[in-house]
Amino acid sequence: GFGDRVSIHRVMSTQLDPADVGGLFDVLVCEIVDDQLLGEGVLTTIADARRRLLTPDAAVIPCGAAIYALPIEMRIGERAGFALDELNTFATDMSLAPRAHAGCKLQRFPAEDYKVLAKPIKLFDFDFARTPIEQLAKGRTNSSLFIEVERSGLLTAFLIYFDLRCDTAAGNRFSNGPATRQLVAWDQSMRCLPLEVRLTAGQRVPLTAEHDFEAVRVGVP
């Protein structure tokens, strides 16, 4: 019943000419985020839409997002009386792979299989609607981060996840993080370190993060 009001254009938004659709748009709605937020080109696509397809005060949904890192110890120990510690080498080797991460839902892991070492650390915040267009897809480095260690253990991985802000209302937010009660389609992204790092409660450990237009990286200097 909406055929007289809705038009479907079977092209990528980056190939859409506003002259073909009668002008600029007042609202942009998109879902082009992956487990790590940036991998499907959300920054470059929204920047292009704001530059060519939207009115200056158009609403952008989602309007922004934040990326977090959770420091964890994730190791295989003993199973059914067998010591499997040497299998942890495969996890550290994964950090050298072309795709140096694994999708997981920490909510599904038995509590004894992992240890959260510190509170989540916000790596980056994104304002899709108001960041100047020429800066939206530019890479950034954040070297002013710290892990405030709360539990002693081996830092073996960072769990990367995002919070998505649909609009400015606090209740209209969505997260794929491990604290989310209801499991969602998106996984968290587990990034294993090439070396396990022993941390002690009370330590303050520096952390560096960087992102480009499609990926986020995080590590201990």
Side-chain angles (χ1 to χ4, degrees):
F2 290 90
D4 59 337
R5 284 183 279 172
V6 176
S7 299
I8 305 298
H9 301 270
R10 299 173 65 87
V11 296
M12 298 286 285
S13 66
T14 51
Q15 300 170 344
L16 188 65
D17 187 338
D20 295 337
V21 292
L24 302 179
F25 296 94
D26 299 313
V27 180
L28 169 67
V29 181
C30 63
E31 189 286 276
I32 41 176
V33 301
D34 64 352
D35 297 345
Q36 308 166 65
L37 185 70
L38 305 182
E40 294 182 7
V42 65
L43 296 181
T44 52
T45 306
I46 291 180
D48 175 74
R50 286 179 54 195
R51 184 181 298 111
R52 300 187 309 106
L53 303 176
L54 302 183
T55 60
D57 57 348
V60 177
I61 304 171
C63 68
I67 297 181
Y68 293 85
L70 183 68
I72 59 174
E73 174 181 311
M74 179 77 73
R75 302 186 89 250
I76 301 173
E78 185 177 293
R79 292 290 188 278
F82 292 93
L84 304 178
D85 299 88
E86 292 187 6
L87 293 178
N88 294 300
T89 303
F90 292 110
T92 57
D93 287 348
M94 187 176 66
S95 65
L96 307 176
R99 290 176 58 85
H101 65 90
C104 71
K105 287 181 169 64
L106 200 64
Q107 302 97 311
R108 288 180 169 169
F109 282 74
E112 62 271 17
D113 280 5
Y114 69 92
K115 183 192 295 185
V116 175
L117 303 178
K119 287 184 173 65
I121 303 149
K122 183 189 284 191
L123 305 181
F124 295 103
D125 196 89
F126 300 88
D127 189 333
F128 300 146
R130 294 182 296 183
T131 298
I133 295 172
E134 65 277 4
Q135 296 178 17
L136 186 57
K138 278 191 174 181
R140 292 179 291 170
T141 298
N142 191 347
S143 301
S144 59
L145 302 169
F146 289 90
I147 305 171
E148 306 285 354
V149 183
E150 296 184 346
R151 299 177 67 190
S152 299
L154 288 174
L155 175 63
T156 65
F158 290 103
L159 196 76
I160 309 296
Y161 64 93
F162 64 82
D163 283 353
L164 207 60
R165 302 187 294 273
C166 294
D167 54 34
T168 56
N172 293 334
R173 297 191 175 191
F174 175 89
S175 175
N176 71 332
T180 304
R181 294 185 184 135
Q182 184 175 0
L183 293 179
V184 298
W186 287 290
D187 287 343
Q188 297 115 32
S189 175
M190 186 167 65
R191 315 284 184 84
C192 293
L193 274 66
L195 294 171
E196 298 176 335
V197 181
R198 185 169 296 281
L199 302 180
T200 304
Q203 265 188 297
R204 196 166 188 255
V205 181
L207 191 68
T208 296
E210 61 181 29
H211 79 82
D212 53 23
F213 64 93
E214 65 177 357
V216 175
R217 288 168 287 277
V218 60
V220 178

